Amino acid sequence: MSNLDCQPASEIVIFGALGDLSRRKLLPALYQLEVCGLINEDSRIIGAARQEHSLEEFKTVVLENLNTFVKEKIDDVVLARFMDRLVYQKLDFKEITSFTNLADTLANGNKTRIYYFSTAPAIFGDICKGLNHADLITAADRVVMEKPIGHSLESSIAINNQVSEFFTENQTYRIDHYLGKETVLNLLVLRFANSLFSNNWDRNSIDHVQITVAESVGIEGRWGFYDDAGQMRDMVQNHLLQVLSLLAMEPPADLSAESVRLEKLKVVKALKAINLNNIKEKAVRGQYTDGFLEGAAVPGYLNEDDANENSNTETFVAIKAEIENWRWTGVPFYLRTGKRMPKKHSEIVVHFKKPPHNIFKDSYSDLPANKLTIRLQPDEGVELQMMNKIPGIASQMRIQENKLDLSFSDTYKNERVVDGYERLMLEILNGNQSLFVSRDEVEAAWIWADSIIDAWKASGEAPKPYAAGSWGPVSSISLIARDDRQWVE
C-alpha cells in the first residue's frame, strides 16, 4: 500500500449515493478510513443521485446510515471532518446534458477523480457517455464497477466494451468484495509465507477441498433482480471462483496486480468444462421450499412476495469443480452455496490425505486426515485439525483429535476486523489493482459458468427442492458421496 503522504487528493463521486450499497457499505467504509486518517485532507465525497436533496438533507441521510451500519460509537470529531467532505449532486444518469452540472461541481483543481458506479450495470455506458460529454475523463481518473458485470459472457463483453471506450484497463477497478475480506487475503499469507503449507499444497498431499458459502436469508425483497440471476450468477461465477482461484493459483512473482491476476486467470482457464454431457454428475441446483429457521416458519421461494410461481431459478448450487493442471489433477474442489440454509456460514476446508500406514491401530483404528479450516464468516479464523497424544502414564499410547485454533477475535482482541469494502476503497484511493478483477478473469469465469447454466436449461430439469433451514437437496449429498466423501457441516 502507498503511504498517505503519497496519496493524491481525490474527488470520490458515488453514482447511486442513495442506494442500498452506498448507504450500507460505501459511506460507512469511507467513514472508517476517515477514522484511520487514510483520506487525503483535500479529498471530497460527492454523492450523485436522481433525487432532489439539499446538502443538509443528504448529510442527514448519511448520518442516519452511519448510526445504523457502523458498529462502533461514532466519533464526533471524525464525523465533523467527514461531513465537511460531503457534496450532493442531483443528476439524471441517462440525460447526457445534465453532466455539465457535475462538471461545475468538480471544477476545483487537478484532483484525481474516482467514479464509483453503484448503479445497475445497464446504465454504466450512459454514465461514461455523460462524463465524456462534460469533458470529465482524464488519464489520471479511475472508474469502479460493482458486480454483477452482466448475466452472461455476451452481456459482460457488452458492458465492458461500453466502459472501455472511455477508460483503459489500468483505470478500471472491478469490485468483488470477497477479495477485501481479511480471511480471504490471509490465504496469500497462509500459502506463501508458511513452508508447512506451501510445500504440501498440491495433489500429492491434498485429497480434496470444500468451499461453502451458506446464507440464512431469503431474497429479501429482491425478487426482480434475483430471479433473473439465481445463485449461479449471483455467487458462484464471482465470489466462489475468486476464492477458488486464490486457493489454487501458482505462486505469483510478487504482489503486483499484474502477477496476482495472471496466476488467478490461469486457474479459471484450467477449470474442466461442465456441460450437458456431465452436468448430472458434476453439478446440482436446488430451490428452497417452505420450512423453518430458528424455530420460525419461513416461506418457500415460490411463496415469497411478488414471486413467479413457475420460476425455475436456482437458490442453491453444488458443484464438483476440477482443475486440469499439474498441481491439481485428481483433486476435486467441491463448491456449495445457497439461500435459506441453517445459518450464515462461509468457510474453506482443505482435506489432506491420510497417512499411508497406521502404527497406532491399538489406540485409533482409522486415523483421520488432517483438515485445515479457513473460516470466512461469521467467526473469522484458521483452524488445523490434527492428532495428539493424550497425557498419561498408561502403557498403551492413547491419541485423539485436537484443534489448533487461530480465532481472529480472540487473537487480535484490540484490532477491529476490517470490512472488505474498507480495504478495497483504500486500494482504489492508492491506485492498487491487485485486489480487483481483470476483464480477462471476468470473461473466463463467464465462459465456465455459462456452460453450466446452458446445460441446465437444455436438460429442462427443474431445480431440486430442499426445505428452508436445511443444507440443500439430497442430490447435493449424493454429489460428494459418490466419491466416498461427505460435506463438513
Side-chain angles (χ1 to χ4, degrees):
M1 291 180 197
S2 304
N3 292 326
L4 182 59
D5 293 340
C6 302
Q7 183 195 106
S10 304
E11 297 278 70
I12 306 164
V13 185
I14 302 175
F15 293 95
L18 296 175
D20 189 64
L21 175 67
S22 175
R23 293 185 297 104
R24 287 175 175 267
K25 293 294 185 180
L26 305 185
L27 290 165
L30 287 168
Y31 167 80
Q32 294 289 9
L33 295 186
E34 187 77 70
V35 171
C36 298
L38 293 172
I39 304 180
N40 188 294
E41 63 180 10
D42 293 325
S43 293
R44 296 193 304 168
I45 301 167
I46 296 93
R50 291 189 177 91
Q51 295 90 329
E52 187 74 58
H53 277 305
S54 68
L55 176 58
E56 290 308 313
E57 288 171 334
F58 178 56
K59 287 183 176 182
T60 298
V61 172
V62 172
L63 179 59
E64 289 174 353
N65 286 281
L66 292 181
N67 284 325
T68 301
F69 299 113
V70 174
K71 296 177 182 178
E72 298 78 18
K73 185 180 185 298
I74 299 293
D75 185 306
D76 290 338
V77 175
V78 174
L79 178 64
R81 193 167 68 237
F82 182 74
M83 288 294 183
D84 284 344
R85 297 185 187 277
L86 297 180
V87 177
Y88 183 74
Q89 177 67 61
K90 180 181 181 298
L91 190 65
D92 185 341
F93 303 151
K94 292 188 175 184
E95 178 51 60
I96 196 168
T97 58
S98 70
F99 282 78
T100 56
N101 297 326
L102 180 60
D104 292 338
T105 300
L106 298 179
N108 64 338
N110 296 317
K111 299 177 183 178
T112 300
R113 290 178 294 224
I114 296 169
Y115 300 119
Y116 199 116
F117 292 176
S118 181
T119 67
I123 61 174
F124 286 0
D126 294 318
I127 297 174
C128 289
K129 290 175 183 176
L131 292 172
N132 182 64
H133 175 79
D135 197 23
L136 288 174
I137 301 175
T138 71
D141 297 333
R142 299 163 197 158
V143 60
V144 187
M145 299 167 64
E146 187 66 46
K147 83 163 191 80
I149 301 174
H151 59 272
S152 64
L153 175 63
E154 182 181 6
S155 59
S156 175
I157 290 173
I159 292 168
N160 276 306
N161 283 346
Q162 291 172 352
V163 175
S164 64
E165 185 178 346
F166 304 98
F167 294 92
T168 67
E169 184 67 13
N170 287 337
Q171 294 175 278
T172 306
Y173 294 70
R174 297 176 189 83
I175 276 204
D176 186 321
H177 72 267
Y178 263 56
L179 295 181
K181 289 180 175 292
E182 289 285 357
T183 38
V184 174
L185 291 175
N186 202 41
L187 287 175
L188 295 173
V189 180
L190 195 73
R191 286 195 55 194
F192 303 125
N194 297 285
S195 58
L196 170 67
F197 297 118
S198 60
N199 293 337
N200 296 283
W201 205 262
D202 56 28
R203 60 188 175 85
N204 296 314
S205 300
I206 293 177
D207 179 75
H208 73 283
V209 179
Q210 297 182 25
I211 304 174
T212 295
V213 178
E215 302 175 275
S216 58
V217 297
I219 57 172
E220 296 186 301
R222 300 189 306 153
W223 177 270
F225 160 75
Y226 188 84
D227 200 53
D228 286 338
Q231 201 72 355
M232 186 69 197
R233 293 184 176 100
D234 193 38
M235 293 296 294
V236 178
Q237 184 272 336
N238 40 73
H239 298 331
L240 270 72
L241 283 191
Q242 286 300 313
V243 173
L244 171 63
S245 63
L246 286 173
L247 273 172
M249 73 180 189
E250 295 298 315
D254 50 42
L255 289 177
S256 68
E258 182 181 6
S259 295
V260 173
R261 286 171 156 190
L262 177 63
E263 299 304 336
K264 287 167 58 192
L265 176 62
K266 289 178 184 177
V267 173
V268 181
K269 284 190 170 183
L271 283 169
K272 183 178 181 179
I274 298 175
N275 50 40
L276 194 56
N277 295 326
N278 60 3
I279 188 74
K280 290 186 178 181
E281 294 77 34
K282 304 296 184 183
V284 172
R285 62 174 180 158
Q287 188 183 86
Y288 65 84
T289 58
D290 295 349
F292 291 87
L293 266 172
E294 297 180 354
V298 293
Y301 183 69
L302 301 183
N303 294 325
E304 296 273 13
D305 292 340
D306 302 320
N308 168 15
E309 296 180 0
N310 298 313
S311 173
N312 273 335
T313 297
E314 77 284 350
T315 63
F316 173 95
V317 174
I319 293 173
K320 178 183 178 180
E322 297 166 287
I323 302 170
E324 296 183 300
N325 63 18
W326 281 96
R327 183 182 290 268
W328 294 116
T329 292
V331 179
F333 287 73
Y334 298 99
L335 315 180
R336 177 176 60 163
T337 179
K339 292 190 176 295
R340 288 296 190 207
M341 300 184 80
K343 59 183 178 179
K344 183 178 181 179
H345 174 73
S346 299
E347 71 175 18
I348 302 158
V349 185
V350 180
H351 294 251
F352 291 87
K353 291 185 175 180
K354 289 185 176 183
H357 179 62
N358 182 10
I359 64 173
F360 302 100
K361 289 180 181 177
D362 291 340
S363 173
Y364 220 104
S365 60
D366 185 22
L367 284 177
N370 297 132
K371 287 193 303 187
L372 175 68
T373 301
I374 303 159
R375 300 188 301 270
L376 305 182
Q377 62 182 18
D379 178 26
E380 294 92 341
V382 179
E383 177 183 291
L384 180 62
Q385 183 174 299
M386 57 191 295
M387 300 303 295
N388 189 57
K389 179 184 178 297
I390 301 173
I393 200 170
S395 58
Q396 178 179 322
M397 187 180 294
R398 297 179 301 149
I399 64 175
Q400 67 179 13
E401 288 184 75
N402 284 98
K403 295 178 181 178
L404 297 178
D405 191 352
L406 169 61
S407 171
F408 283 13
S409 59
D410 291 340
T411 305
Y412 304 109
K413 292 180 179 179
N414 298 322
E415 296 288 336
R416 188 179 64 86
V417 176
V418 175
D419 180 78
Y421 275 98
E422 296 171 37
R423 169 76 59 187
L424 297 174
M425 290 299 297
L426 180 61
E427 299 299 350
I428 294 165
L429 293 175
N430 287 330
N432 181 5
Q433 290 184 308
S434 298
L435 302 182
F436 298 84
V437 187
S438 70
R439 177 169 181 168
D440 288 342
E441 283 182 81
V442 171
E443 293 180 359
W446 273 123
I447 290 171
W448 185 75
D450 278 354
S451 178
I452 297 172
I453 294 168
D454 291 344
W456 278 332
K457 185 176 181 181
S459 73
E461 189 173 335
K464 305 295 185 184
Y466 67 98
S470 72
W471 284 103
V474 173
S475 50
S476 68
I477 300 173
S478 303
L479 174 77
I480 192 169
R482 279 195 293 268
D483 299 330
D484 198 24
R485 301 182 177 107
Q486 62 184 15
W487 294 106
V488 175
E489 294 176 359

